[in-house]
Amino acid sequence: MTRTDQESRRERAASRVVGAAFGVSALGAAGFATVYATGGQTQLEGVSLAVAFAGLAAGLGVWARRLLPVGGHVEEHEPFDSPASERQLTDEALLGPESPARRSGLVAMLALALAALGGAALFPLRSLLPFDRERPVRALRTTPWAAGIRLVRADGTPVRPAEVVEGTLLTVFPEGHEDRGDVPAFAVRLDPARFAVPPPGGQVDGVVVHSLLCTHAGCPVALYIQETARMLCPCHQSNFDLLAAARPIAGPAARPLPGLPIAVDAEGFLVATGDFTAPPGPGFWSLK
């Protein structure tokens, strides 16, 4: 068998492989379309697409490697140095009497413009540095809750302990900061004899207060299950046991709901005695 015959056989074999690979790719694409059109199934769609792209890649690879001409090819390149005549013209343009470089006034104005642009560019950079603002990490760790701040409803009315009725949930805010996104809390009345772990913020006649923000993704944990004294987050079903310091017992949340230390002021209204016992909401930003 001559060399030409051998090359011809190899090319035919490579052509069959390429054709088979493209056929597999077409089948994978058809399978994806079929699964998608009949209701969809994530795993099958992924496998179908993987088969389609793998077949396409394999076919193109074999085609390029076995069927396209190969070999070394040399292309002549023009010399990198400019001809002497061009260099002379450049020198005359830059150093001649009409050269822009000899117009000192224009050069000075160009330098002034560039310096002004450079100075202006520093102002956006300054906004990234907290010269006159609270640092981001500290801002995330603290809230307006502080000693002496009254617990108020959304309409700004203060709350007395007796107004937290057993079996209900009362959303509260720090007085004067009702519009902050990290401050919402809830007050609920529980039987102190049922506490397996003391509330992190303490309690006043059975009234305990915790952050309303789920420690998984920051959704409001607004579903209260009275029989078991648990809070449920409707977003991802995290479940917190209020009788055990609001620790998570189900769902993706990994931290307890922060507690709010409370007391009663001279007028009989509930007030905070400090900030939350831990940063409210998701704590991914504090991971190291």
Side-chain angles (χ1 to χ4, degrees):
M1 183 180 296
T2 64
R3 179 178 179 83
T4 303
D5 293 337
Q6 292 177 348
E7 291 177 352
S8 179
R9 290 187 60 182
R10 286 197 294 268
E11 288 181 359
R12 288 196 297 271
S15 297
R16 288 193 293 269
V17 172
V18 173
F22 288 163
V24 170
S25 177
L27 290 175
F32 170 80
T34 301
V35 174
Y36 187 88
T38 56
Q41 209 282 338
T42 305
Q43 289 77 9
L44 291 179
E45 290 173 354
V47 170
S48 300
L49 281 180
V51 170
F53 284 115
L56 185 63
L60 291 175
V62 174
W63 194 345
R65 183 68 179 84
R66 300 291 181 84
L67 298 179
L68 295 181
V70 296
H73 301 281
V74 179
E75 180 180 0
E76 294 294 334
H77 195 285
E78 296 180 359
F80 289 99
D81 293 337
S82 300
S85 59
E86 293 184 2
R87 294 198 298 271
Q88 182 179 357
L89 289 174
T90 302
D91 291 341
E92 292 177 356
L94 293 178
L95 303 177
E98 300 298 326
S99 170
R102 292 184 175 274
R103 300 178 184 273
S104 57
L106 294 181
V107 174
M109 293 304 296
L110 174 62
L112 176 62
L114 293 177
L117 285 173
L122 297 177
F123 283 83
L125 294 177
R126 180 190 178 282
S127 65
L128 301 177
L129 303 175
F131 291 113
D132 55 353
R133 299 182 306 279
E134 190 176 21
R135 294 187 177 274
V137 172
R138 176 173 173 78
L140 289 171
R141 290 185 182 277
T142 60
T143 73
W145 287 110
I149 298 293
R150 281 181 173 177
L151 282 64
V152 299
R153 301 176 178 83
D155 60 2
T157 58
V159 179
R160 298 180 185 274
E163 295 172 346
V164 182
V165 182
E166 185 176 358
T168 62
L169 197 71
L170 183 62
T171 303
V172 294
F173 305 86
E175 188 173 25
H177 302 277
E178 294 86 353
D179 58 344
R180 281 279 298 257
D182 57 349
V183 299
F186 66 87
V188 64
R189 182 179 295 277
L190 302 171
D191 182 2
R194 299 177 61 193
F195 288 131
V197 179
Q203 53 93 15
V204 175
D205 296 331
V207 175
V208 298
V209 182
H210 289 276
S211 170
L212 190 68
L213 304 182
C214 180
T215 54
H216 170 235
C219 298
V221 287
L223 300 180
Y224 175 49
I225 306 174
Q226 179 184 359
E227 293 77 9
T228 56
R230 293 177 182 176
M231 293 294 294
L232 178 66
C233 176
C235 292
H236 306 98
Q237 286 70 56
S238 292
N239 201 316
F240 301 90
D241 187 357
L242 299 182
L243 299 178
R247 65 180 179 86
I249 58 175
R255 294 191 302 124
L257 294 175
L260 182 70
I262 57 174
V264 178
D265 64 9
E267 298 181 35
F269 295 110
L270 286 171
V271 295
T273 60
D275 202 348
F276 286 122
T277 56
F284 60 88
W285 51 269
S286 65
L287 297 177
K288 296 181 179 179

